[in-house]
mmCIF file of all heavy atoms in Angstrom:
data_model
loop_
_atom_site.group_PDB
_atom_site.id
_atom_site.type_symbol
_atom_site.label_atom_id
_atom_site.label_comp_id
_atom_site.label_asym_id
_atom_site.label_seq_id
_atom_site.Cartn_x
_atom_site.Cartn_y
_atom_site.Cartn_z
ATOM 1 N N ILE A 78 -12.813 -19.551 -63.666
ATOM 2 C CA ILE A 78 -12.704 -20.399 -62.388
ATOM 3 C C ILE A 78 -14.207 -20.695 -62.101
ATOM 4 O O ILE A 78 -15.095 -19.810 -61.892
ATOM 5 C CB ILE A 78 -12.049 -19.671 -61.222
ATOM 6 C CG1 ILE A 78 -10.649 -19.482 -61.563
ATOM 7 C CG2 ILE A 78 -12.239 -20.431 -60.065
ATOM 8 C CD1 ILE A 78 -9.965 -18.644 -60.630
ATOM 9 N N PRO A 79 -14.661 -21.986 -62.164
ATOM 10 C CA PRO A 79 -15.990 -22.414 -61.794
ATOM 11 C C PRO A 79 -16.451 -21.834 -60.432
ATOM 12 O O PRO A 79 -15.821 -21.903 -59.502
ATOM 13 C CB PRO A 79 -15.901 -23.954 -61.810
ATOM 14 C CG PRO A 79 -14.674 -24.201 -62.612
ATOM 15 C CD PRO A 79 -13.750 -23.237 -62.369
ATOM 16 N N GLY A 80 -17.618 -21.188 -60.632
ATOM 17 C CA GLY A 80 -18.235 -20.612 -59.426
ATOM 18 C C GLY A 80 -17.984 -19.220 -59.169
ATOM 19 O O GLY A 80 -18.523 -18.410 -58.352
ATOM 20 N N LEU A 81 -16.830 -18.692 -59.717
ATOM 21 C CA LEU A 81 -16.348 -17.330 -59.480
ATOM 22 C C LEU A 81 -16.974 -16.430 -60.539
ATOM 23 O O LEU A 81 -16.344 -16.173 -61.668
ATOM 24 C CB LEU A 81 -14.784 -17.209 -59.592
ATOM 25 C CG LEU A 81 -14.284 -15.904 -59.284
ATOM 26 C CD1 LEU A 81 -14.689 -15.336 -57.846
ATOM 27 C CD2 LEU A 81 -12.651 -15.857 -59.356
ATOM 28 N N THR A 82 -18.248 -15.993 -60.219
ATOM 29 C CA THR A 82 -18.850 -15.202 -61.289
ATOM 30 C C THR A 82 -18.570 -13.736 -61.291
ATOM 31 O O THR A 82 -18.987 -13.004 -62.157
ATOM 32 C CB THR A 82 -20.395 -15.318 -61.039
ATOM 33 O OG1 THR A 82 -20.711 -14.995 -59.713
ATOM 34 C CG2 THR A 82 -20.849 -16.804 -61.144
ATOM 35 N N SER A 83 -17.798 -13.171 -60.316
ATOM 36 C CA SER A 83 -17.642 -11.772 -60.200
ATOM 37 C C SER A 83 -16.495 -11.358 -61.202
ATOM 38 O O SER A 83 -16.465 -10.109 -61.341
ATOM 39 C CB SER A 83 -17.130 -11.567 -58.741
ATOM 40 O OG SER A 83 -15.969 -12.339 -58.425
ATOM 41 N N ILE A 84 -15.789 -12.194 -61.819
ATOM 42 C CA ILE A 84 -14.779 -11.824 -62.805
ATOM 43 C C ILE A 84 -15.470 -12.181 -64.180
ATOM 44 O O ILE A 84 -15.476 -13.389 -64.503
ATOM 45 C CB ILE A 84 -13.430 -12.446 -62.548
ATOM 46 C CG1 ILE A 84 -12.833 -12.082 -61.286
ATOM 47 C CG2 ILE A 84 -12.547 -12.116 -63.744
ATOM 48 C CD1 ILE A 84 -11.582 -12.759 -60.941
ATOM 49 N N LYS A 85 -15.940 -11.266 -64.868
ATOM 50 C CA LYS A 85 -16.652 -11.533 -66.084
ATOM 51 C C LYS A 85 -15.610 -11.870 -67.236
ATOM 52 O O LYS A 85 -15.850 -12.695 -68.045
ATOM 53 C CB LYS A 85 -17.400 -10.471 -66.527
ATOM 54 C CG LYS A 85 -18.511 -9.823 -65.431
ATOM 55 C CD LYS A 85 -19.446 -10.926 -65.071
ATOM 56 C CE LYS A 85 -20.474 -10.530 -64.025
ATOM 57 N NZ LYS A 85 -21.384 -11.676 -63.519
ATOM 58 N N SER A 86 -14.593 -11.139 -67.255
ATOM 59 C CA SER A 86 -13.610 -11.355 -68.413
ATOM 60 C C SER A 86 -12.176 -10.976 -67.920
ATOM 61 O O SER A 86 -12.054 -9.823 -67.330
ATOM 62 C CB SER A 86 -14.000 -10.645 -69.702
ATOM 63 O OG SER A 86 -12.967 -10.708 -70.542
ATOM 64 N N PHE A 87 -11.254 -11.867 -68.103
ATOM 65 C CA PHE A 87 -9.786 -11.502 -67.822
ATOM 66 C C PHE A 87 -9.066 -11.095 -68.933
ATOM 67 O O PHE A 87 -8.161 -10.123 -68.787
ATOM 68 C CB PHE A 87 -9.200 -12.800 -67.116
ATOM 69 C CG PHE A 87 -7.848 -12.575 -66.555
ATOM 70 C CD1 PHE A 87 -7.614 -11.553 -65.572
ATOM 71 C CD2 PHE A 87 -6.754 -13.322 -66.967
ATOM 72 C CE1 PHE A 87 -6.330 -11.341 -65.132
ATOM 73 C CE2 PHE A 87 -5.494 -13.129 -66.472
ATOM 74 C CZ PHE A 87 -5.372 -12.161 -65.518
ATOM 75 N N ASP A 88 -9.393 -11.610 -70.155
ATOM 76 C CA ASP A 88 -8.643 -11.042 -71.309
ATOM 77 C C ASP A 88 -9.620 -11.172 -72.387
ATOM 78 O O ASP A 88 -9.999 -12.193 -73.005
ATOM 79 C CB ASP A 88 -7.387 -12.026 -71.582
ATOM 80 C CG ASP A 88 -6.510 -11.531 -72.599
ATOM 81 O OD1 ASP A 88 -6.796 -10.463 -73.072
ATOM 82 O OD2 ASP A 88 -5.441 -12.200 -72.895
ATOM 83 N N PRO A 89 -10.132 -9.989 -72.917
ATOM 84 C CA PRO A 89 -9.800 -8.595 -72.359
ATOM 85 C C PRO A 89 -10.372 -8.355 -71.007
ATOM 86 O O PRO A 89 -11.445 -8.840 -70.648
ATOM 87 C CB PRO A 89 -10.359 -7.664 -73.441
ATOM 88 C CG PRO A 89 -11.536 -8.377 -74.005
ATOM 89 C CD PRO A 89 -11.122 -9.782 -73.895
ATOM 90 N N PHE A 90 -9.709 -7.425 -70.297
ATOM 91 C CA PHE A 90 -10.191 -6.910 -69.051
ATOM 92 C C PHE A 90 -10.751 -5.371 -69.356
ATOM 93 O O PHE A 90 -10.306 -4.739 -70.118
ATOM 94 C CB PHE A 90 -9.153 -6.876 -68.011
ATOM 95 C CG PHE A 90 -9.638 -6.670 -66.612
ATOM 96 C CD1 PHE A 90 -9.969 -7.673 -65.707
ATOM 97 C CD2 PHE A 90 -9.804 -5.318 -65.976
ATOM 98 C CE1 PHE A 90 -10.469 -7.568 -64.539
ATOM 99 C CE2 PHE A 90 -10.268 -5.192 -64.805
ATOM 100 C CZ PHE A 90 -10.658 -6.291 -64.017
ATOM 101 N N HIS A 91 -11.935 -5.140 -68.586
ATOM 102 C CA HIS A 91 -12.475 -3.841 -68.863
ATOM 103 C C HIS A 91 -12.471 -2.990 -67.587
ATOM 104 O O HIS A 91 -12.631 -3.381 -66.418
ATOM 105 C CB HIS A 91 -13.995 -4.135 -69.119
ATOM 106 C CG HIS A 91 -14.294 -4.926 -70.376
ATOM 107 N ND1 HIS A 91 -14.511 -4.449 -71.562
ATOM 108 C CD2 HIS A 91 -14.222 -6.316 -70.458
ATOM 109 C CE1 HIS A 91 -14.666 -5.340 -72.419
ATOM 110 N NE2 HIS A 91 -14.538 -6.557 -71.856
ATOM 111 N N LEU A 92 -12.065 -1.828 -67.753
ATOM 112 C CA LEU A 92 -12.015 -0.641 -66.736
ATOM 113 C C LEU A 92 -12.948 0.464 -67.181
ATOM 114 O O LEU A 92 -12.877 0.875 -68.380
ATOM 115 C CB LEU A 92 -10.706 -0.206 -66.532
ATOM 116 C CG LEU A 92 -9.716 -1.142 -65.753
ATOM 117 C CD1 LEU A 92 -8.277 -0.489 -65.626
ATOM 118 C CD2 LEU A 92 -10.246 -1.425 -64.252
ATOM 119 N N ASN A 93 -13.707 0.974 -66.321
ATOM 120 C CA ASN A 93 -14.470 2.181 -66.648
ATOM 121 C C ASN A 93 -13.858 3.450 -66.916
ATOM 122 O O ASN A 93 -13.986 4.181 -67.862
ATOM 123 C CB ASN A 93 -15.642 2.291 -65.541
ATOM 124 C CG ASN A 93 -16.651 1.114 -65.537
ATOM 125 O OD1 ASN A 93 -16.861 0.573 -66.535
ATOM 126 N ND2 ASN A 93 -17.183 0.786 -64.487
ATOM 127 N N ARG A 94 -12.962 3.790 -65.867
ATOM 128 C CA ARG A 94 -12.314 5.091 -65.982
ATOM 129 C C ARG A 94 -11.014 5.196 -65.150
ATOM 130 O O ARG A 94 -10.964 4.505 -64.066
ATOM 131 C CB ARG A 94 -13.310 6.169 -65.372
ATOM 132 C CG ARG A 94 -12.971 7.589 -65.642
ATOM 133 C CD ARG A 94 -14.050 8.445 -65.174
ATOM 134 N NE ARG A 94 -15.298 8.254 -65.894
ATOM 135 C CZ ARG A 94 -15.548 8.751 -67.102
ATOM 136 N NH1 ARG A 94 -14.728 9.538 -67.792
ATOM 137 N NH2 ARG A 94 -16.734 8.324 -67.750
ATOM 138 N N ILE A 95 -10.067 5.941 -65.554
ATOM 139 C CA ILE A 95 -8.865 6.221 -64.838
ATOM 140 C C ILE A 95 -8.528 7.691 -65.120
ATOM 141 O O ILE A 95 -8.611 8.201 -66.126
ATOM 142 C CB ILE A 95 -7.653 5.326 -65.349
ATOM 143 C CG1 ILE A 95 -7.796 3.894 -65.074
ATOM 144 C CG2 ILE A 95 -6.328 5.852 -64.702
ATOM 145 C CD1 ILE A 95 -6.840 3.006 -65.571
ATOM 146 N N ARG A 96 -8.138 8.379 -63.933
ATOM 147 C CA ARG A 96 -7.735 9.792 -63.961
ATOM 148 C C ARG A 96 -6.469 9.947 -63.401
ATOM 149 O O ARG A 96 -6.163 9.389 -62.314
ATOM 150 C CB ARG A 96 -8.798 10.654 -63.274
ATOM 151 C CG ARG A 96 -10.116 10.809 -63.996
ATOM 152 C CD ARG A 96 -11.098 11.747 -63.164
ATOM 153 N NE ARG A 96 -12.334 11.896 -63.741
ATOM 154 C CZ ARG A 96 -13.429 11.281 -63.325
ATOM 155 N NH1 ARG A 96 -13.298 10.410 -62.298
ATOM 156 N NH2 ARG A 96 -14.625 11.474 -63.852
ATOM 157 N N ILE A 97 -5.592 10.573 -64.035
ATOM 158 C CA ILE A 97 -4.131 10.740 -63.581
ATOM 159 C C ILE A 97 -3.694 12.229 -63.787
ATOM 160 O O ILE A 97 -3.976 12.785 -64.966
ATOM 161 C CB ILE A 97 -3.276 9.776 -64.411
ATOM 162 C CG1 ILE A 97 -3.481 8.365 -64.026
ATOM 163 C CG2 ILE A 97 -1.747 10.142 -64.062
ATOM 164 C CD1 ILE A 97 -3.102 7.944 -62.590
ATOM 165 N N SER A 98 -2.977 12.868 -62.904
ATOM 166 C CA SER A 98 -2.242 14.010 -63.025
ATOM 167 C C SER A 98 -0.820 13.656 -62.789
ATOM 168 O O SER A 98 -0.464 13.124 -61.750
ATOM 169 C CB SER A 98 -2.701 15.187 -62.031
ATOM 170 O OG SER A 98 -4.126 15.552 -62.482
ATOM 171 N N GLN A 99 0.013 13.989 -63.750
ATOM 172 C CA GLN A 99 1.467 13.667 -63.632
ATOM 173 C C GLN A 99 2.243 14.837 -64.071
ATOM 174 O O GLN A 99 2.123 15.438 -65.128
ATOM 175 C CB GLN A 99 1.842 12.481 -64.474
ATOM 176 C CG GLN A 99 3.308 12.110 -64.302
ATOM 177 C CD GLN A 99 3.435 10.684 -65.072
ATOM 178 O OE1 GLN A 99 2.555 9.976 -65.407
ATOM 179 N NE2 GLN A 99 4.733 10.462 -65.394
ATOM 180 N N GLY A 100 3.175 15.354 -63.102
ATOM 181 C CA GLY A 100 4.157 16.438 -63.405
ATOM 182 C C GLY A 100 5.377 16.270 -62.745
ATOM 183 O O GLY A 100 5.780 16.993 -61.763
ATOM 184 N N ASN A 101 6.156 15.274 -63.274
ATOM 185 C CA ASN A 101 7.365 14.854 -62.518
ATOM 186 C C ASN A 101 8.616 15.646 -62.924
ATOM 187 O O ASN A 101 9.724 15.466 -62.482
ATOM 188 C CB ASN A 101 7.607 13.353 -62.514
ATOM 189 C CG ASN A 101 7.645 12.964 -63.985
ATOM 190 O OD1 ASN A 101 7.650 13.593 -64.942
ATOM 191 N ND2 ASN A 101 7.622 11.580 -64.137
ATOM 192 N N SER A 102 8.421 16.560 -64.005
ATOM 193 C CA SER A 102 9.608 17.311 -64.421
ATOM 194 C C SER A 102 9.131 18.471 -65.235
ATOM 195 O O SER A 102 7.898 18.593 -65.455
ATOM 196 C CB SER A 102 10.563 16.427 -65.322
ATOM 197 O OG SER A 102 9.945 16.125 -66.541
ATOM 198 N N ASN A 103 9.997 19.419 -65.653
ATOM 199 C CA ASN A 103 9.661 20.489 -66.406
ATOM 200 C C ASN A 103 9.201 20.042 -67.836
ATOM 201 O O ASN A 103 8.441 20.733 -68.542
ATOM 202 C CB ASN A 103 10.817 21.595 -66.565
ATOM 203 C CG ASN A 103 11.096 22.168 -65.287
ATOM 204 O OD1 ASN A 103 10.095 22.490 -64.481
ATOM 205 N ND2 ASN A 103 12.427 22.501 -65.038
ATOM 206 N N ALA A 104 9.549 18.822 -68.288
ATOM 207 C CA ALA A 104 9.386 18.436 -69.598
ATOM 208 C C ALA A 104 8.065 17.624 -69.631
ATOM 209 O O ALA A 104 7.498 17.516 -70.837
ATOM 210 C CB ALA A 104 10.509 17.338 -70.047
ATOM 211 N N ILE A 105 7.533 17.120 -68.476
ATOM 212 C CA ILE A 105 6.254 16.313 -68.495
ATOM 213 C C ILE A 105 5.325 16.952 -67.582
ATOM 214 O O ILE A 105 5.630 17.161 -66.370
ATOM 215 C CB ILE A 105 6.545 14.925 -68.188
ATOM 216 C CG1 ILE A 105 7.569 14.243 -69.309
ATOM 217 C CG2 ILE A 105 5.257 14.128 -68.192
ATOM 218 C CD1 ILE A 105 7.941 12.878 -68.966
ATOM 219 N N ASN A 106 4.196 17.351 -68.026
ATOM 220 C CA ASN A 106 3.062 17.833 -67.215
ATOM 221 C C ASN A 106 1.828 17.429 -67.808
ATOM 222 O O ASN A 106 1.438 18.032 -68.716
ATOM 223 C CB ASN A 106 3.242 19.359 -66.941
ATOM 224 C CG ASN A 106 2.273 19.787 -65.908
ATOM 225 O OD1 ASN A 106 1.370 19.205 -65.652
ATOM 226 N ND2 ASN A 106 2.739 20.952 -65.215
ATOM 227 N N LEU A 107 1.109 16.428 -67.242
ATOM 228 C CA LEU A 107 -0.009 15.880 -67.972
ATOM 229 C C LEU A 107 -1.215 15.718 -67.133
ATOM 230 O O LEU A 107 -1.087 15.379 -65.916
ATOM 231 C CB LEU A 107 0.303 14.544 -68.627
ATOM 232 C CG LEU A 107 1.276 14.426 -69.781
ATOM 233 C CD1 LEU A 107 1.615 13.018 -70.201
ATOM 234 C CD2 LEU A 107 0.600 15.151 -70.988
ATOM 235 N N LYS A 108 -2.363 15.838 -67.657
ATOM 236 C CA LYS A 108 -3.565 15.436 -66.972
ATOM 237 C C LYS A 108 -4.302 14.509 -68.024
ATOM 238 O O LYS A 108 -4.601 15.010 -69.234
ATOM 239 C CB LYS A 108 -4.510 16.637 -66.608
ATOM 240 C CG LYS A 108 -4.061 17.544 -65.516
ATOM 241 C CD LYS A 108 -5.025 18.638 -65.056
ATOM 242 C CE LYS A 108 -4.510 19.490 -64.026
ATOM 243 N NZ LYS A 108 -5.484 20.553 -63.778
ATOM 244 N N VAL A 109 -4.540 13.201 -67.563
ATOM 245 C CA VAL A 109 -4.990 12.247 -68.530
ATOM 246 C C VAL A 109 -6.265 11.635 -67.881
ATOM 247 O O VAL A 109 -6.272 11.358 -66.724
ATOM 248 C CB VAL A 109 -3.943 11.194 -68.811
ATOM 249 C CG1 VAL A 109 -4.455 10.172 -69.761
ATOM 250 C CG2 VAL A 109 -2.709 11.859 -69.247
ATOM 251 N N GLU A 110 -7.167 11.466 -68.677
ATOM 252 C CA GLU A 110 -8.393 10.674 -68.285
ATOM 253 C C GLU A 110 -8.651 9.620 -69.396
ATOM 254 O O GLU A 110 -8.636 9.878 -70.631
ATOM 255 C CB GLU A 110 -9.585 11.475 -68.083
ATOM 256 C CG GLU A 110 -10.836 10.742 -67.733
ATOM 257 C CD GLU A 110 -12.018 11.615 -67.284
ATOM 258 O OE1 GLU A 110 -11.868 12.711 -66.820
ATOM 259 O OE2 GLU A 110 -13.166 11.228 -67.620
ATOM 260 N N LEU A 111 -8.810 8.333 -68.942
ATOM 261 C CA LEU A 111 -9.119 7.275 -69.848
ATOM 262 C C LEU A 111 -10.504 6.743 -69.401
ATOM 263 O O LEU A 111 -10.883 6.750 -68.280
ATOM 264 C CB LEU A 111 -8.059 6.174 -69.767
ATOM 265 C CG LEU A 111 -6.688 6.536 -70.051
ATOM 266 C CD1 LEU A 111 -5.746 5.202 -69.920
ATOM 267 C CD2 LEU A 111 -6.459 7.081 -71.461
#
Side-chain angles (χ1 to χ4, degrees):
I78 295 175
L81 183 58
T82 59
S83 56
I84 299 177
K85 304 300 182 185
S86 174
F87 185 57
D88 193 359
F90 194 90
H91 301 262
L92 288 173
N93 291 328
R94 192 173 302 275
I95 294 175
R96 293 186 179 95
I97 294 290
S98 292
Q99 184 172 340
N101 56 11
S102 71
N103 291 330
I105 299 173
N106 193 332
L107 290 175
K108 291 184 178 179
V109 182
E110 180 174 324
L111 302 180

